[in-house]
Amino acid sequence: MTEPDPESDPDSDPESAPDPDSAPDPDSTASFVVSTDRRTQAVDVTDRVEAVLPAEAQGTATVFVRHTTAGVAVNEAEPRLLGDVETFLDDVVADEGWDHDRLDGNADAHLRALLVGASVTVPVDGGSLALGTWQSILLVECDGPRDRTVEVRW
Amino acid sequence: MTEPDPESDPDSDPESAPDPDSAPDPDSTASFVVSTDRRTQAVDVTDRVEAVLPAEAQGTATVFVRHTTAGVAVNEAEPRLLGDVETFLDDVVADEGWDHDRLDGNADAHLRALLVGASVTVPVDGGSLALGTWQSILLVECDGPRDRTVEVRW
Amino acid sequence: MTEPDPESDPDSDPESAPDPDSAPDPDSTASFVVSTDRRTQAVDVTDRVEAVLPAEAQGTATVFVRHTTAGVAVNEAEPRLLGDVETFLDDVVADEGWDHDRLDGNADAHLRALLVGASVTVPVDGGSLALGTWQSILLVECDGPRDRTVEVRW
């Protein structure tokens, strides 16, 4: 196994965290950045998503993470459960032994992100998320700490 | 481990199963309730989804479950396979040992629902689902028996 | 365990791979066929998706596979990582021992496809995919070699 090559690290590339102000169509898209603290971390971003939705947003919104070692999910943001999500993902994918690790040391993070998925599509009514009582939108960091760009389209 | 607190049970809250008649925009959204029988259960809801789509629905529909211990998937509704889905989800997530269980006894159900995902987005043509020959839309109950609200937006 | 019944094989049915030219609405949908080589195989289809998007596509596109033993995901298309995705899916679901195998020999493929998911919804600007720097769209074959129809709606 060779040393990881910093140049090949997908998420250290500044292009992967574009300026939120560069959103191409301010009428139907917006983005925000979440700074994570730990390698695997489930973060409640519901309020951040709701904050970027204009009152005229109606129907559905897609919340998409622009990275390959983080995902987005809908579940309950109870703190102990967020810890369980982290533990489950850490356990279901082996930390080491992957071929990609000869290039980057983070194949496990890619595989955890694949399980979670890169986006969710959720109901929106009049600019407000129309989630169930206990549902929150979770950014699931799998290779933190990093700054993660979350894009919302409606 | 303390006793589960009924007040904290996400899915016993009546607000999590809203009146289907309260859909905010009858032109582009509808919902229906599915009563499940078992703790983990994959249920074919394809006909229920198709029944709420009006003839003018065109493009895609998002099928979303308003709960944190159930999911929605697309796969084949062959009865033995539905049993295999249930067995797989039961086995891939441990039943016990989660921190959230000190609050609720259903962390395993949340984690299974996270793996399945809360929604699917599927093609629709002229009010009919445009699925592949063997595809069905499955509600995946992970903490039944319960009444589950499924929302469809097009 | 009985012999698999070819008649019941979901994906041998020619109807599951419709003629791409039969797309019902050429203004907002298109499809293409991917021929896979191996039983479990992650294939980069980003260029194929982008090729069918017209310049006026704006907002999001949904990429949907019309099959029950293949999925679609967003992740990095680095060749070693694609191999790791295949290895992970092969390992996380047991190859044998499923009830559906008494009918078809491919329950494991259905369960792997369920984990991956049948579709992704991704940002599109002016007919171009607006993915993060390292993101690609992956068709994840779980029961190849086969011809797989991928549908794109925008």
Side-chain angles (χ1 to χ4, degrees):
Chain A
M1 189 184 296
T2 61
E3 286 296 298
D5 175 4
E7 290 300 305
S8 69
D9 182 342
D11 299 292
S12 65
D13 188 321
E15 291 182 49
S16 67
D19 179 356
D21 296 335
S22 69
D25 181 353
D27 291 336
S28 64
T29 184
S31 58
F32 56 87
V33 175
V34 178
S35 298
T36 61
D37 302 319
R38 300 195 304 279
R39 181 139 202 268
T40 306
Q41 183 180 11
V43 182
D44 183 0
V45 297
T46 314
D47 292 348
R48 303 288 302 273
V49 174
E50 188 132 323
V52 302
L53 290 172
E56 64 268 25
Q58 179 62 39
T60 60
T62 295
V63 183
F64 181 82
V65 66
R66 285 165 121 18
H67 307 278
T68 55
T69 55
V72 185
V74 172
N75 214 284
E76 186 183 357
E78 191 276 313
R80 290 185 192 86
L81 182 64
L82 298 185
D84 290 334
V85 168
E86 298 161 7
T87 300
F88 172 72
L89 290 173
D90 283 348
D91 287 353
V92 76
V93 176
D95 292 341
E96 299 186 358
W98 305 105
D99 286 345
H100 179 68
D101 291 340
R102 288 181 284 167
L103 183 63
D104 269 335
N106 64 353
D108 57 342
H110 287 279
L111 295 170
R112 288 171 189 133
L114 186 91
L115 275 182
V116 174
S119 74
V120 295
T121 299
V122 295
V124 174
D125 289 319
S128 296
L129 293 167
L131 301 172
T133 306
W134 300 94
Q135 288 183 313
S136 293
I137 298 174
L138 308 178
L139 171 71
V140 183
E141 170 67 77
C142 300
D143 198 24
R146 290 182 192 267
D147 289 345
R148 298 302 197 169
T149 302
V150 178
E151 182 154 344
V152 184
R153 300 219 166 189
W154 59 88
Chain B
M1 189 183 298
T2 61
E3 286 296 297
D5 174 4
E7 290 301 306
S8 68
D9 182 343
D11 299 292
S12 66
D13 187 322
E15 290 182 50
S16 67
D19 179 357
D21 296 336
S22 68
D25 181 351
D27 291 337
S28 64
T29 183
S31 58
F32 57 87
V33 175
V34 178
S35 298
T36 61
D37 302 318
R38 300 195 305 278
R39 182 139 200 267
T40 306
Q41 182 180 12
V43 181
D44 182 359
V45 296
T46 313
D47 292 347
R48 301 289 301 272
V49 174
E50 188 134 320
V52 302
L53 290 172
E56 64 269 26
Q58 178 63 39
T60 60
T62 295
V63 182
F64 181 82
V65 66
R66 285 169 147 315
H67 307 277
T68 56
T69 55
V72 185
V74 172
N75 214 283
E76 186 184 358
E78 190 276 312
R80 290 184 191 86
L81 181 64
L82 298 184
D84 290 333
V85 168
E86 298 162 8
T87 300
F88 172 72
L89 290 172
D90 283 348
D91 287 353
V92 77
V93 175
D95 292 341
E96 299 186 0
W98 306 104
D99 285 346
H100 179 69
D101 291 341
R102 287 181 285 167
L103 183 63
D104 268 334
N106 64 353
D108 57 343
H110 287 279
L111 295 169
R112 289 172 189 133
L114 186 92
L115 275 182
V116 173
S119 74
V120 296
T121 299
V122 295
V124 174
D125 288 319
S128 296
L129 294 167
L131 301 172
T133 306
W134 299 95
Q135 289 182 314
S136 292
I137 299 175
L138 307 179
L139 170 71
V140 184
E141 170 67 77
C142 299
D143 197 24
R146 289 183 193 268
D147 289 344
R148 299 300 197 173
T149 301
V150 177
E151 182 154 345
V152 184
R153 300 218 168 191
W154 59 88
Chain C
M1 189 183 298
T2 60
E3 285 296 297
D5 174 5
E7 289 301 305
S8 68
D9 182 342
D11 298 292
S12 66
D13 187 323
E15 291 182 48
S16 67
D19 178 358
D21 295 335
S22 68
D25 181 353
D27 291 335
S28 64
T29 184
S31 59
F32 57 86
V33 175
V34 178
S35 298
T36 61
D37 302 318
R38 299 194 305 278
R39 181 137 202 269
T40 305
Q41 182 180 12
V43 181
D44 183 1
V45 296
T46 313
D47 292 347
R48 302 289 301 274
V49 174
E50 188 133 322
V52 301
L53 290 172
E56 64 268 25
Q58 179 62 40
T60 59
T62 295
V63 182
F64 181 83
V65 65
R66 285 168 133 350
H67 306 278
T68 56
T69 54
V72 185
V74 172
N75 214 285
E76 187 183 357
E78 190 277 312
R80 291 184 191 87
L81 181 64
L82 298 184
D84 291 333
V85 168
E86 297 161 9
T87 300
F88 172 72
L89 290 172
D90 284 347
D91 287 353
V92 78
V93 175
D95 291 342
E96 299 186 359
W98 305 105
D99 285 346
H100 179 69
D101 291 341
R102 287 181 284 166
L103 183 63
D104 268 335
N106 64 352
D108 58 343
H110 286 280
L111 295 169
R112 288 172 189 132
L114 186 92
L115 276 181
V116 173
S119 74
V120 296
T121 298
V122 296
V124 174
D125 288 319
S128 295
L129 293 167
L131 301 172
T133 306
W134 300 94
Q135 289 182 314
S136 292
I137 299 175
L138 308 179
L139 171 71
V140 183
E141 170 66 77
C142 299
D143 197 24
R146 287 182 193 268
D147 289 344
R148 298 302 197 171
T149 301
V150 177
E151 183 154 343
V152 184
R153 299 216 169 192
W154 59 89

